[in-house]
Amino acid sequence: MISLQRSRLVRLAVPARPSCAAGVRRTVAAYLARWDLSSIADDAVLATDELFANAVRHASAGPADTIAVTLECADRVLRVTLADSSPARPRPRTVDGTAESGRGLAIVAALADDWGTDPPDPDDVGKRVWFSLAAREPT
């Protein structure tokens, strides 16, 4: 991971391993605090965590795989994008109350102002999954 900076655009390459999730959460929280976006930090960290877990579970093929995490902030709107090497698009699922997994995209949809998928960058493979959140005024 990289050190904190004043930029409103941050790109990270994170190993596609469950053990890296805590570091991703801490890094997102640290940038949001620095950018004075604490009002959306809990929702943004949870939504990022859900997308990271999905990418690790459904899109990583091996121990050398990485997930690109991009944080962008413009006009107090945060956009978080996670890119992986799998071309398979995420699909929201309907799960019953006893299921132990399958709610990640529903959680993201409930927390975010918007979310979606994009094709990979040119000359890349896979997909990008993103969400956006507008900063709220403190109450």
Side-chain angles (χ1 to χ4, degrees):
M1 300 215 185
I2 61 177
S3 62
L4 295 180
Q5 51 189 322
R6 291 245 176 245
S7 171
R8 297 285 178 135
L9 172 66
V10 175
R11 291 188 174 108
L12 311 166
V14 182
R17 294 194 299 261
S19 62
C20 294
V24 171
R25 290 189 302 269
R26 283 191 303 272
T27 300
V28 170
Y31 276 105
L32 296 184
R34 171 163 268 214
W35 294 345
D36 193 29
L37 296 174
S38 297
S39 66
I40 60 171
D42 290 343
D43 291 348
V45 169
L46 180 54
T48 303
D49 190 52
E50 291 295 338
L51 293 184
F52 186 79
N54 283 351
V56 169
R57 173 179 266 171
H58 302 292
S60 65
D65 284 353
T66 60
I67 298 166
V69 180
T70 303
L71 308 174
E72 299 174 84
C73 181
D75 299 323
R76 300 197 40 85
V77 175
L78 174 70
R79 181 175 167 124
V80 177
T81 305
L82 283 82
D84 60 57
S85 60
S86 171
R89 303 280 181 169
R91 290 175 286 128
R93 298 182 348 194
T94 302
V95 296
D96 66 35
T98 61
E100 292 185 15
S101 65
R103 294 178 182 84
L105 292 177
I107 291 169
V108 172
L111 296 173
D113 295 326
D114 196 13
W115 77 276
T117 62
D118 290 327
D121 288 328
D123 300 324
D124 212 348
V125 297
K127 66 178 167 308
R128 295 178 290 165
V129 183
W130 58 270
F131 70 86
S132 62
L133 271 169
R136 299 180 294 272
E137 294 301 317
T139 56

